[in-house]
Amino acid sequence: MSGDDNEDEQTERVRNQGKEDGLFRACMDEIRSSHTTGQALRTATLAAGLLSDKYCYAELLGQFYVATAALEKRIDELLTKDSCGDDEKSLLLVAKVKKLGYSFTSAYEADLEALLGREWKGIITSWTTEPAKQYVQRLESANDVECVAAAFILHGPLVIGGGAMLKPKVERAFGENATNVFEDVIGTARGGRSSRRREFIDLYDSLLENDVDADYRFEETVAKCGQFMKLNNQMMVSVRKKPWWMKYVAASSVAIASAIAWRIIATTTESSTIRNASLNVA
């Protein structure tokens, strides 16, 4: 059984922990095809040397950093708007998401500084791709439902996905100082992985209870999850850095191709010479 098959099975098991006809399952079903694409992209980036070159890893991490930072800033803005009273703010869906207590912006920043040094902000600004810029632009003016959907896509993979499995790989490659983004989603934090996952799933399944606009918000949240998942994948394919060793692979490939080409030419020439000699003898 391949790694992708195992991931598909794990994703399905997580999906089935949500309520039947609940929001969590509906969101998982909406992103199913894009999530499968995302898994394939992640596998491809790892195979291409993502964890063998800190600049490759930092570039991809930076894309998710700018999107996550924009999301978390927007959530705080919605919860501190002067135009909303305290009672109205408590009714916002993002208020319930915020109570989960996850915030990854500062952890991303610590990891990027560990990877790139003190000038990391300028470097990430120059490396930010067009899909990431579009993501940020959209999140900067996102409404309540859009922020809930974006949190499902940007926070969810860390909380209920493979964050705990990726952390040791990143630590082996780049050191413990580059693993801050995983600290709240590993080990016994918040009761352990199963408790964290259960809390996240239950939050989304109960999010719209007693909501007068539940049907509309349900459909909107599901649709927005699909849109943000596609933006995730677009960010992944837009990165431009290549591992430091790729130039040597390319050079070797050219050398091998040249050797094969010259061997074909030599063999063809030799065959032609023998054939001509045979004709002359005849």
Side-chain angles (χ1 to χ4, degrees), residues 4-192:
D4 287 344
D5 290 336
N6 286 330
E7 283 206 40
D8 288 342
E9 289 181 4
Q10 291 169 6
T11 300
E12 188 67 13
R13 282 197 295 270
V14 171
R15 178 258 183 203
N16 290 340
Q17 290 179 37
K19 291 181 180 178
E20 284 192 41
D21 301 321
L23 182 60
F24 181 81
R25 281 197 186 193
C27 290
M28 289 295 288
D29 289 343
E30 176 67 18
I31 68 173
R32 187 187 298 271
S33 61
S34 292
H35 184 266
T36 300
T37 301
Q39 288 175 334
L41 289 172
R42 187 173 72 250
T43 300
T45 54
L46 288 170
L50 179 69
L51 294 181
S52 68
D53 188 301
K54 69 177 182 178
Y55 298 110
C56 290
Y57 179 65
E59 182 190 23
L60 184 59
L61 196 72
Q63 309 312 303
F64 285 94
Y65 158 66
V66 296
T68 300
L71 167 65
E72 293 175 356
K73 180 181 178 182
R74 182 56 178 164
I75 289 175
D76 288 340
E77 288 173 352
L78 290 174
L79 293 176
T80 56
K81 284 178 67 174
D82 293 336
S83 58
C84 295
D86 290 339
D87 290 340
E88 188 177 354
K89 289 174 185 175
S90 68
L91 294 175
L92 288 172
L93 300 179
V94 288
K96 300 176 184 179
V97 172
K98 183 76 172 178
K99 284 183 179 179
L100 283 175
Y102 292 108
S103 179
F104 296 101
T105 298
S106 61
Y108 271 114
E109 291 174 347
D111 287 348
L112 289 168
E113 182 169 355
L115 291 162
L116 300 174
R118 294 181 181 179
E119 303 302 317
W120 69 268
K121 286 186 179 180
I123 295 171
I124 292 303
T125 297
S126 69
W127 285 357
T128 301
T129 62
E130 282 305 313
K133 290 176 183 178
Q134 292 170 18
Y135 213 157
V136 168
Q137 186 176 18
R138 185 162 178 183
L139 290 171
E140 284 175 341
S141 59
N143 60 28
D144 191 27
V145 168
E146 289 172 325
C147 284
V148 166
F152 188 93
I153 299 303
L154 290 169
H155 286 183
L158 286 167
V159 178
I160 65 174
M165 291 183 288
L166 189 56
K167 193 253 186 184
K169 296 179 182 179
V170 174
E171 185 172 350
R172 283 196 299 271
F174 309 120
E176 186 178 2
N177 289 340
T179 62
N180 294 281
V181 77
F182 304 112
E183 285 307 307
D184 287 339
V185 295
I186 59 171
T188 59
R190 306 173 70 92

Side-chain angles (χ1 to χ4, degrees), residues 200-218:
F200 189 89
I201 293 171
D202 288 346
L203 180 279
Y204 274 84
D205 275 340
S206 64
L207 198 61
L208 297 173
E209 288 179 355
N210 304 316
D211 192 309
V212 294
D213 295 321
D215 289 344
Y216 170 75
R217 287 183 158 191
F218 187 104

